[in-house]
Structure formats: C-alpha cells, structure tokens
Amino acid sequence: MVLSLVQDAIFLKLKARVESPLISVYEFCFATGLGLSRTNAPEALKEELCQETEFADLKKKVQKYAEESSGWESFPYGERLRNLLLGCRIYEPINEDAQTLLKMGLQCEKQVEK
C-alpha cells in the first residue's frame, strides 16, 4: 500500500467543494492523527489511541473527543475534518498500515492551504 496516497486523499477531501465521506479505516486513521495533532490533544490520549487494536473502540473514542473538544476551528478546514470523523460509518479491522497512518497523521507538518 502506498500510504502517502491516503494522506493526499484526506487533503483533497478537506479542500473539496462537496464533502466526501471517509471510505476506509486508512482514511479514518490518518484523519484521526491529523485532528489530534492540530487540536493539541493530550499526549495520553494520543498514546492510548495509537495502541488501540479494535476499530469500533478507536472510532468511539475519536468521535467522543471530536464532539467534546475545541480547537477544530483554529486551523484551516478543521471543522470539515471534525465533520468527517463524526460522520464516519465504516467498520473495518485495524491493521499495521492503519496504525502507521494514525502516527503519520500525528506527525504531519503539511498544511492545508485555503
């Protein structure tokens, strides 16, 4: 799998005129890492989510964080990213690539330009 393609897909979804849902565990994991990074989530939460092996549990925790946290509006397309995470309807197993993408999102320094 070419992991950088998932990153590109998320940045395209953030900038698109029409909102396009997340379609895979890979997109969800990268978007999660990106959101946690940009909202300055607590390190303990980042570590906990990186260790998660069940997608349903990861999704539940991420969506709870997205609903309850602030800071999404403080970066370009933050509200769109939050909406993508909250609207996710996929259920797939987490694998090594998905965990890698979550970590890539946490470390992503690329900015989405408006």
Side-chain angles (χ1 to χ4, degrees):
M1 164 176 254
V2 182
L3 301 178
S4 63
L5 291 178
V6 175
Q7 175 182 325
D8 293 343
I10 294 302
F11 285 116
L12 288 172
K13 286 177 190 250
L14 292 177
K15 294 176 15 175
R17 288 185 192 171
V18 178
E19 193 166 300
S20 176
L22 301 175
I23 60 169
S24 70
V25 65
Y26 306 110
E27 288 184 352
F28 184 85
C29 285
F30 182 81
T32 292
L34 188 63
L36 293 171
S37 170
R38 298 296 198 269
T39 59
N40 296 313
E43 289 300 317
L45 177 63
K46 292 177 187 177
E47 290 175 22
E48 176 185 350
L49 295 177
C50 282
Q51 299 302 317
E52 191 59 66
T53 58
E54 294 296 325
F55 183 73
D57 295 336
L58 173 69
K59 182 178 166 183
K60 186 177 180 179
K61 291 173 186 177
V62 169
Q63 289 179 333
K64 182 176 191 267
Y65 174 75
E67 287 174 354
E68 297 175 355
S69 63
S70 60
W72 296 91
E73 66 286 341
S74 67
F75 60 95
Y77 303 103
E79 285 295 323
R80 167 78 59 98
L81 181 58
R82 180 178 177 269
N83 290 339
L84 288 173
L85 292 169
L86 290 173
C88 179
R89 292 191 168 105
I90 58 167
Y91 288 95
E92 297 178 28
I94 294 176
N95 60 27
E96 189 175 319
D97 285 339
Q99 289 175 324
T100 298
L101 282 159
L102 197 154
K103 293 172 186 167
M104 282 175 61
L106 286 169
Q107 298 169 355
C108 183
E109 294 183 15
K110 181 177 178 180
Q111 297 295 320
V112 183
E113 303 295 325
K114 281 212 170 198

